[in-house]
Amino acid sequence: MKLERVLDYAKTLLRKSIDFGDVAIDATAGNGYDTLYLTELVGDTGHVFAFDVQQQALDATKARLKEHGVFERTTLILDGHENFAKHVDEPIGGAVFNLGYLPGADHTLTTQAQTTITAIDAMLEQMKIGGIVVLVVYHGHEGGKEERDNVLQYVERLPQKQVHVLRYDFLNQKNDPPFIVALEKVKPYTQSPLKETVAQ
């Protein structure tokens, strides 16, 4: 058996979580590669909602989806993923985030810990039992380590009876290699660390 590379393992996790006919979320559309993969998983009876704050990203995603004939399976949304619940009200089968910046664009425009955590929390509430949120954490850029640490602190506090939390990385690779955090919803999600913080 060979160990799967990080991006391959992210796809494996999503494939285990998302069924034909499901709703899936690409929280960071980027250049559309994950959005395209999600359309394969949901099939022609499912739907993918892809979010990005950059029109450049959505344009690239739209072109890729049209090239493969699956654009009709998607809704592209120019908004931050923290506002996901304003746009999607169905149960979701799975979601993927790529934390960091859009390749080939402004490297100073990056995902942020606060909005990432807000989005994760909302998605866990709306996710079907057995659904998975996959985060591919790129942390080599400016501000990346702060986001990484804050996200890890949040997921470590998730209730273990409701959410299983996995970290998958290669410990001997240099130059801040990306790693995966996967959150599997195993019971109804009611005990949010965010709500605990607000209550204090």
Side-chain angles (χ1 to χ4, degrees):
M1 185 189 88
K2 293 183 179 180
L3 293 175
E4 287 191 273
R5 298 295 176 259
V6 164
L7 297 183
D8 292 333
Y9 190 56
K11 288 185 174 181
T12 295
L13 291 169
L14 292 167
R15 190 166 61 246
K16 290 177 179 295
S17 165
I18 298 168
D19 298 319
F20 268 33
D22 274 352
V23 169
I25 308 295
D26 185 351
T28 49
N31 287 310
Y33 293 102
D34 286 336
T35 311
L36 178 62
Y37 182 66
L38 293 176
T39 65
E40 297 174 17
L41 299 182
V42 303
D44 56 10
T45 58
H47 203 76
V48 178
F49 292 86
F51 292 79
D52 211 290
V53 296
Q54 297 182 76
Q55 187 63 50
Q56 174 186 347
L58 296 182
D59 291 344
T61 298
K62 182 177 182 179
R64 191 172 307 284
L65 297 169
K66 286 198 166 186
E67 178 185 351
H68 288 83
V70 292
F71 179 64
E72 71 282 354
R73 300 182 189 179
T74 67
T75 300
L76 307 186
I77 299 168
L78 183 64
D79 199 356
H81 44 229
E82 70 275 16
N83 297 318
F84 133 86
K86 295 179 181 179
H87 303 277
V88 184
D89 56 12
E90 304 102 315
I92 60 176
V96 60
F97 291 71
N98 282 282
L99 304 188
Y101 55 79
L102 173 63
D106 183 357
H107 289 192
T108 65
L109 187 58
T110 67
T111 54
Q112 300 293 319
Q114 181 178 0
T115 51
T116 297
I117 290 169
T118 299
I120 295 168
D121 209 65
M123 288 180 191
L124 284 174
E125 284 199 39
Q126 210 160 307
M127 185 161 282
K128 70 179 185 181
I129 302 299
I132 296 178
V133 178
V134 177
L135 301 103
V136 182
V137 183
Y138 294 88
H139 54 106
H141 57 281
E142 185 174 353
K145 292 176 177 56
E146 180 182 1
E147 181 179 28
R148 174 199 67 194
D149 292 346
N150 286 333
V151 168
L152 288 175
Q153 186 178 51
Y154 162 78
V155 299
E156 287 167 0
R157 294 172 58 204
L158 290 169
Q160 66 177 8
K161 291 183 178 179
Q162 297 175 17
V163 184
H164 291 166
V165 180
L166 166 78
R167 176 170 173 166
Y168 183 85
D169 57 357
F170 290 85
L171 299 177
N172 63 338
Q173 292 183 356
K174 298 179 180 179
N175 301 320
D176 301 312
F179 63 91
I180 286 173
V181 173
L183 312 173
E184 180 189 17
K185 181 175 178 177
V186 293
K187 287 187 177 180
Y189 177 66
T190 56
Q191 298 176 4
S192 163
L194 295 185
K195 292 173 184 174
E196 292 173 11
T197 301
V198 170
Q200 290 174 354

